[in-house]
Amino acid sequence: MTKKWTPIIVLARLADSLASLRRQLEDLKAQFHGFTSESIEHTLTEPNSNELAEDFSHASSRRTKTVRFSDTPAPPSEELLQPYQDDPASDSAGYRDQAANLTNQQLHLYHSQILEEQDEQLDRLGESIGRQRDISIQIGDELDNHVAMLDAMDTTVDRYQSRLDRARGALGKVAKGAGENKQMTAIVVLIIILILLIAIFK
């Protein structure tokens, strides 16, 4: 027995569905704008479905992160407030501090010592540059040798390529001659067969 749907029943079901959809829409609007209502307040304390129970418990047990700020930060270290020096280990006092209490003769000796140190540094720098120059020359010689080897290899490859081309041409001629010989042999065989047939059927 089939169940008959009257227009009144259909309209009643549509009205119920429409009311349910409206409630869901209002709940979604409230959640979107950050408001709470009685219909959705229970979703904050318990999951909507048993399948989401594990995820809901995991999300509820998360610890909140806190960021600590201090109104009285620690003062910077004294090393950060020192003036910049190229080599603080060897010249911690600085030129002015060392030359402040020197006499003219001591100052002259001090300048001479500084010039000698600079000359030594320049000599070491010159030696280093000379070594770099020698290494660069050696690298250039190696590159020239490799270029010569590559040129020789190109010449050898070209020579063998020309030989291969000649061999390929010779093979082509042989293949062409063999093909012509096959055709001639076939013609001779056919002529012999034709002669035999004529002799037999006379």
Side-chain angles (χ1 to χ4, degrees):
M1 180 177 180
T2 59
K3 188 175 182 180
K4 295 182 179 179
W5 294 91
T6 61
I8 297 175
I9 296 175
V10 173
L11 290 175
R13 288 183 176 275
L14 289 176
D16 293 339
S17 300
L18 182 61
S20 176
L21 291 174
R22 283 181 179 173
R23 285 195 301 272
Q24 292 179 6
L25 178 61
E26 294 297 329
D27 293 342
L28 290 174
K29 286 182 179 179
Q31 291 179 4
F32 179 76
H33 293 289
F35 302 114
T36 58
S37 61
E38 295 180 357
S39 59
I40 64 172
E41 189 173 359
H42 70 280
T43 60
L44 300 176
T45 57
E46 58 184 10
N48 294 332
S49 174
N50 293 330
E51 297 177 354
L52 302 176
E54 184 178 355
D55 296 334
F56 188 84
S57 62
H58 179 68
S60 301
S61 63
R62 287 189 304 176
R63 297 180 179 178
T64 58
K65 296 182 179 180
T66 58
V67 181
R68 297 181 180 179
F69 295 96
S70 177
D71 294 333
T72 57
S77 61
E78 295 181 358
E79 295 179 356
L80 298 177
L81 301 178
Q82 297 294 329
Y84 173 77
Q85 296 176 358
D86 291 334
D87 192 3
S90 62
D91 190 13
S92 59
Y95 170 75
R96 292 184 179 179
D97 295 336
Q98 290 185 3
N101 299 322
L102 297 179
T103 62
N104 291 335
Q105 186 176 2
Q106 292 174 345
L107 188 61
H108 178 70
L109 293 175
Y110 181 65
H111 285 173
S112 300
Q113 182 181 359
I114 291 176
L115 291 175
E116 290 177 359
E117 292 177 355
Q118 291 179 352
D119 289 338
E120 292 178 358
Q121 293 176 359
L122 290 175
D123 291 338
R124 288 196 296 270
L125 181 61
E127 293 175 357
S128 177
I129 293 174
R131 288 194 297 270
Q132 296 294 330
R133 178 178 175 275
D134 295 336
I135 293 173
S136 301
I137 292 173
Q138 292 177 2
I139 292 173
D141 294 338
E142 289 291 333
L143 290 176
D144 292 337
N145 293 332
H146 284 291
V147 169
M149 292 171 62
L150 290 174
D151 292 338
M153 187 178 294
D154 288 337
T155 303
T156 305
V157 169
D158 292 337
R159 185 169 60 252
Y160 281 107
Q161 184 66 38
S162 61
R163 291 182 181 178
L164 287 174
D165 293 337
R166 288 196 299 270
R168 189 180 294 110
L171 287 175
K173 291 179 181 179
V174 171
K176 185 177 180 181
E180 292 177 354
N181 291 334
K182 287 181 181 179
Q183 292 177 358
M184 185 63 66
T185 303
I187 292 172
V188 171
V189 170
L190 290 175
I191 291 173
I192 293 171
I193 293 173
L194 182 60
I195 293 171
L196 291 175
L197 290 174
I198 292 172
I200 291 171
F201 290 105
K202 271 187 177 182

